[in-house]
């Protein structure tokens, strides 16, 4: 992987951080400037601290340490022996580097030893780390979601007990939701919290029995577990599930780790809970609806950022290769089809990044409003965050898959060989549109929010921010009208029809949103006018195709 610093060399990411993100709005909500405990005098100082950290240590160690170790981590992978998970040396050193740089508690509040940085900084850090080694993100990027869930919903005692050790990285986290018969449909979770067991009135301790599978870092120290706590005959489905914190110990057994296609530096564990002591988080029966939903929103943003980092890596590898590789007496980048693939890879890497960071910003504003107990703002931003996050995750992960596909194509036969990093990137990226909810689940969620009108004002707000390039804007306005036509049509349709066309209608929304976001970017960086022009040029036929699919879907069962 080329590069000295994966943050400063990523011009688009740096531009978003320097020019596009409204740090003042975020800092005003998330920090109490003027308070004794606040380390910043103003939003500018906070911004300088965040971006300074992204440059060094994050961008620096990603390029100089994590990236050079990625091949070794992938080749050796995590091993399983006598109930223990053994990490490759490169992974151990990566984790130590993250701890030494005090990055493991990036979003954890300062009072618990963390940095208390906004989600948007964390998203950028996850992207940069994933560009170097996507599997490392499953420690670094998972940590935030687990810690934030504890922060948000656990008792003060549990916060004191776990968050400081998560901030230093002494403790890492896992989330155990999936079971053999409960994947996309988490309401089917059956692991039974043994409510028959006597609860020690002093500790209030529960016990969990059951098996969870596909648990990333299941060998970690702090495991958040979704389990059935209520009698299924009285409270069926999600209403019978609660959320628990289980600490690693003798009663939590890693039965095996999966032998898998990619992210070899991230152990995927089957866990067996054998009467494991568990702390209830929050209220009984709210495990799925409240706490898992909350955790998954954070985790989905992180996976979107992971995919974004892989896409950037694939793009950079392809640009380098196309420059060096010569055929017919000239570098392959000079052939029109290769040049077009490279241009497309850049435009769509930037497109998914635009939506991902716009979403991150909304998540920050929502969290800030919630902490300040601003009711109206919390509701408004919360609605947006819930609708945008699955769509951004869907888009980043699908785009990244396409970019890795093209990266292999640009490398020709070499791309198929382990000698070049794109082979690993192609394997690593494949999980991103599956875990934390498949793309199908994300667009189902997205379409229900779109039809409800939850993103109408948001789109109108994006349009208002565009003041230049009227011809290009007119094209996006046309697509926005098509979106409204489709949503009005879908209001009259049943859920089955809506889910059938969900990817098409959601894609129209994405084209409109990214079209406006690019045009707003173009007002601050001339280069983006060309990016917007290319994206909007591609968009018109795509929107028309998706409109037709939406208005006239045909589902057939073929049984020859
Ligand atoms: C490497 C790896 C790491 C993981 N890490 C974790 C972890 O840390 N914690 C955790 O709890 N889980 C984890 N998972 C589980 C992961 O989240 C699930 O695999 C994923 O959500 C899909 O569930 P499933 O595999 O059961 O697929 P299924 O739910 O069986 O889905 C199969 C297919 O059916 C489709 N489908 C299902 N329902 C619908 C629907 N309503 N509409 C349209 N299509 C549908 C899916 O999109 C998919 O194409 C991990 C999985 C892997 C592979």
């Amino acid at each position: 992987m080329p590069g000295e610093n994966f943050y400063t060399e990523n011009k688009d990411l740096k531009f978003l951080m320097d020019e596009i993100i409204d740090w003042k709005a975020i800092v005003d909500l998330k920090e109490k400037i003027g308070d004794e405990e606040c380390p910043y005098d103003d939003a500018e100082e906070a911004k300088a601290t965040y971006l300074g950290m992204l440059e060094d240590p994050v961008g620096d160690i990603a390029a100089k340490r994590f990236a050079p170790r990625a091949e070794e981590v992938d080749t050796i992978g995590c091993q399983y022996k006598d109930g223990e998970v053994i990490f490759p040396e490169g992974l151990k050193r990566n984790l130590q580097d993250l701890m030494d740089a005090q990055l493991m508690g990036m979003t954890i509040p300062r009072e618990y030893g963390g940095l208390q940085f906004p989600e948007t900084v964390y998203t950028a850090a996850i992207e940069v780390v994933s560009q170097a080694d996507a599997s490392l993100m499953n420690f670094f990027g998972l940590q935030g979601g687990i810690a934030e869930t504890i922060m948000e919903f656990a008792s003060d005692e549990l916060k004191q007990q776990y968050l400081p050790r998560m901030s230093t990285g002494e403790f890492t986290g896992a989330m155990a939701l999936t079971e053999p018969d409960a994947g996309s449909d988490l309401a089917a979770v059956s692991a039974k919290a043994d409510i028959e067991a006597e609860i020690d009135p002093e500790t209030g301790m529960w016990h969990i029995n059951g098996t969870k599978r596909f648990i990333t870092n299941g060998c970690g120290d702090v495991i958040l577990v979704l389990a059935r706590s209520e009698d299924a005959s009285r409270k069926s489905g999600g209403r019978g599930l609660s959320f628990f914190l289980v600490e690693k110990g003798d009663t939590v057994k890693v039965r095996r780790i999966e032998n898998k296609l990619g992210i070899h530096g991230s152990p995927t564990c089957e866990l067996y809970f054998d009467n494991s002591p568990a702390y209830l988080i929050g209220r009984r029966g709210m495990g799925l609806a409240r706490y898992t939903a909350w955790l998954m929103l954070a985790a989905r943003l992180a996976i979107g950022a992971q995919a974004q980092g892989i896409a950037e890596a694939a793009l950079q590898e392809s640009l380098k290769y196309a420059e060096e590789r010569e055929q017919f007496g000239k570098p392959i980048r000079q052939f029109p089809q290769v040049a077009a693939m490279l241009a497309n890879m850049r435009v769509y890497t930037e497109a998914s990044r635009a939506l991902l960071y716009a979403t991150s910003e909304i998540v920050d504003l929502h969290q800030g409003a919630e902490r300040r107990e601003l009711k109206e703002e919390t509701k408004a931003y919360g609605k947006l965050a819930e609708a945008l996050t699955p769509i951004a995750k869907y888009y980043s992960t699908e785009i990244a898959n396409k970019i890795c596909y093209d990266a292999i194509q640009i490398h020709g036969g070499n791309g198929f060989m382990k000698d070049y990093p794109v082979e690993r990137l192609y394997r690593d990226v494949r999980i991103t549109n599956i875990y934390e909810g498949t793309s199908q689940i994300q667009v189902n969620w997205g379409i229900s929010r779109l039809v409800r009108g939850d993103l109408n004002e948001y789109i109108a707000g994006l349009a208002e921010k565009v003041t230049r390039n009227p011809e290009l804007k007119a094209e996006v306005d046309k697509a926005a009208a098509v979106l409204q036509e489709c949503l009005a049509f879908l209001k009259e349709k049943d859920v089955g029809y809506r889910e059938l066309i969900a990817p098409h209608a959601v894609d129209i929304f994405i084209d409109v949103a990214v079209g406006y976001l690019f045009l707003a970017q173009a007002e601050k960086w001339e280069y983006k006018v060309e990016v917007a022009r290319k994206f909007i040029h591609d968009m018109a036929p795509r929107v028309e195709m998706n409109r037709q699919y939406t208005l006239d879907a045909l589902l057939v069962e073929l049984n020859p």
Side-chain angles (χ1 to χ4, degrees):
M1 171 75 55
E4 289 286 309
N5 187 305
F6 284 174
Y7 174 66
T8 53
E9 287 161 7
N10 188 335
K11 284 190 193 158
D12 186 45
L13 176 61
K14 199 163 172 329
F15 163 67
L16 294 189
M17 294 296 116
D18 285 340
E19 306 282 342
I20 297 296
I21 302 297
D22 186 350
W23 293 111
K24 177 144 179 23
I26 293 175
V27 173
D28 281 352
L29 280 174
K30 293 194 107 168
E31 288 290 351
K32 288 186 180 150
I33 301 282
D35 255 31
E36 214 175 275
E37 67 83 39
C38 178
Y40 314 116
D41 284 339
D42 53 30
E44 273 305 309
E45 192 187 352
K47 174 182 174 181
T49 307
Y50 304 152
L51 305 199
M53 199 76 165
L54 284 175
E55 180 174 341
D56 189 5
V58 180
D60 187 67
I61 56 175
K64 294 190 184 136
R65 301 193 197 173
F66 304 154
R69 293 172 191 149
E71 188 186 337
E72 178 217 311
V73 170
D74 175 62
T75 307
I76 297 170
C78 295
Q79 312 284 330
Y80 178 77
K81 203 168 168 223
D82 303 328
E84 295 290 326
V85 179
I86 300 152
F87 290 173
E89 278 309 311
L91 171 57
K92 285 187 203 163
R93 274 179 276 149
N94 286 343
L95 289 170
Q96 192 59 50
D97 284 339
L98 283 169
M99 285 164 74
D100 292 347
Q102 297 176 349
L103 291 174
M104 287 302 272
M106 214 166 193
T107 55
I108 299 176
R110 289 185 287 272
E111 62 173 306
Y112 298 108
L115 293 173
Q116 199 171 311
F117 279 5
E119 292 300 321
T120 306
V121 185
Y122 193 37
T123 303
I126 292 172
E127 175 182 341
V128 169
V129 167
S130 303
Q131 182 183 339
D133 179 349
S135 66
L136 183 58
M137 128 71 198
N138 283 359
F139 295 87
F140 176 62
L142 189 59
Q143 191 85 340
I146 306 286
E148 286 165 39
T149 308
I150 295 173
M151 180 59 215
E152 206 68 24
F153 303 113
S155 64
D156 285 346
E157 210 182 346
L158 287 182
K159 287 181 204 168
Q160 289 293 353
Q161 200 169 332
Y162 292 103
L163 291 179
R165 282 188 282 181
M166 292 190 79
S167 290
T168 60
E170 180 197 341
F171 273 12
T172 58
M175 59 172 185
L177 314 174
T178 305
E179 295 176 9
D181 293 322
S184 299
D185 177 15
L186 284 174
V189 157
S190 62
K192 192 161 161 47
D194 189 358
I195 53 170
E196 306 301 326
E198 258 183 38
I199 294 175
D200 181 335
E202 267 174 37
T203 62
M205 198 53 93
W206 291 63
H207 290 85
I208 287 185
N209 290 288
T211 302
K212 292 280 181 184
R213 77 162 182 173
F214 292 171
I215 306 308
T216 297
N217 196 32
C219 49
D221 309 86
V222 182
I223 310 167
L224 296 184
V225 187
L226 180 69
R228 183 162 295 285
S229 58
E230 317 300 318
D231 187 343
S233 62
R234 285 195 301 114
K235 285 196 173 172
S236 60
R239 292 182 316 137
L241 306 182
S242 298
F243 216 47
F244 298 92
L245 186 156
V246 176
E247 191 177 326
K248 177 182 179 173
D250 292 346
T251 62
V252 184
K253 299 194 170 67
V254 178
R255 276 189 174 157
R256 52 178 291 219
I257 63 170
E258 304 296 334
N259 184 5
K260 56 194 194 295
L261 178 68
I263 53 163
H264 291 158
S266 163
T268 309
C269 307
E270 182 174 304
L271 290 183
Y272 177 62
F273 295 96
D274 185 7
N275 218 28
S276 309
Y279 300 102
L280 178 70
I281 303 251
R283 282 170 41 208
R284 281 169 67 163
M286 299 294 284
L288 187 61
R290 183 94 176 94
Y291 316 121
T292 303
W294 201 91
L295 170 60
M296 284 186 92
L297 268 190
R300 282 172 179 171
L301 199 61
I303 303 299
Q306 181 182 39
Q308 191 65 46
I310 301 174
E312 182 65 29
L315 170 64
Q316 293 306 329
E317 289 297 336
S318 301
L319 289 167
K320 179 167 157 266
Y321 188 83
E323 183 70 42
E324 289 166 1
R325 172 74 175 168
E326 292 196 358
Q327 286 292 281
F328 301 98
K330 54 184 178 182
I332 59 166
R333 72 167 167 76
Q334 291 182 17
F335 298 112
Q337 290 184 48
V338 176
M341 259 193 278
L342 289 169
N344 270 329
M345 288 165 80
R346 197 184 275 288
V347 167
Y348 288 92
T349 302
E350 294 184 12
S352 66
R353 186 176 287 122
L355 189 62
L356 181 72
Y357 287 87
T359 303
S360 233
E361 203 173 358
I362 294 286
V363 170
D364 267 324
L365 296 176
H366 174 232
Q367 288 182 359
E370 199 167 35
R371 275 171 213 163
R372 296 224 158 193
E373 298 179 7
L374 303 171
K375 273 197 177 154
E376 287 294 304
E377 286 88 342
T378 302
K379 206 170 150 204
Y381 288 131
K383 194 165 77 172
L384 289 182
E386 273 192 15
L388 284 172
T389 304
I391 294 176
K393 194 258 181 189
Y394 155 71
Y395 193 50
S396 294
T397 60
E398 291 293 336
I399 290 289
N401 268 275
K402 172 76 172 88
I403 283 168
C404 289
Y405 179 93
D406 286 349
I408 297 242
Q409 199 65 20
I410 284 173
H411 281 69
N414 278 334
F416 198 63
M417 305 301 155
K418 286 194 178 286
D419 306 347
Y420 287 82
V422 287
E423 182 269 347
R424 168 173 49 83
L425 299 174
Y426 189 72
R427 287 184 287 106
D428 283 354
V429 80
R430 194 60 189 85
I431 187 60
T432 60
N433 55 347
I434 295 174
Y435 61 10
E436 284 315 321
T438 62
S439 285
Q440 288 69 36
I441 297 299
Q442 309 300 327
V443 295
N444 280 352
W445 188 282
I447 195 66
S448 68
R449 289 346 196 226
L450 276 169
V451 171
R452 229 166 57 178
D454 287 4
L455 289 167
N456 285 349
E457 272 180 38
Y458 179 71
I459 284 285
L462 292 182
E464 271 171 25
K465 284 193 186 146
V466 180
T467 60
R468 286 173 14 200
N469 298 298
E471 282 148 40
L472 293 175
K473 179 169 183 283
E475 290 301 315
V476 188
D477 290 342
K478 267 194 237 164
V482 170
L483 176 66
Q484 289 310 324
E485 176 196 359
C486 291
L487 295 181
F489 171 81
L490 290 173
K491 267 203 175 112
E492 308 304 322
K493 293 285 174 188
D494 63 20
V495 172
Y497 189 92
R498 286 180 197 168
E499 292 192 351
L500 174 63
I501 56 74
H504 302 292
V506 169
D507 279 355
I508 301 176
F509 165 79
I510 291 169
D511 274 339
V512 173
V514 173
Y516 287 137
L517 287 167
F518 270 161
L519 286 173
Q521 292 180 8
E523 296 185 17
K524 297 195 168 163
W525 187 11
E526 200 55 29
Y527 151 78
K528 287 281 182 172
V529 178
E530 286 318 297
V531 175
R533 192 186 309 283
K534 165 74 178 137
F535 184 83
I536 292 167
H537 176 268
D538 289 359
M539 194 173 116
R542 197 165 51 217
V543 166
E544 181 49 30
M545 179 193 76
N546 284 319
R547 174 182 169 273
Q548 290 193 25
Y549 273 119
T550 302
L551 300 182
D552 186 18
L554 178 64
L555 177 63
V556 289
E557 258 188 52
L558 300 174
N559 299 306

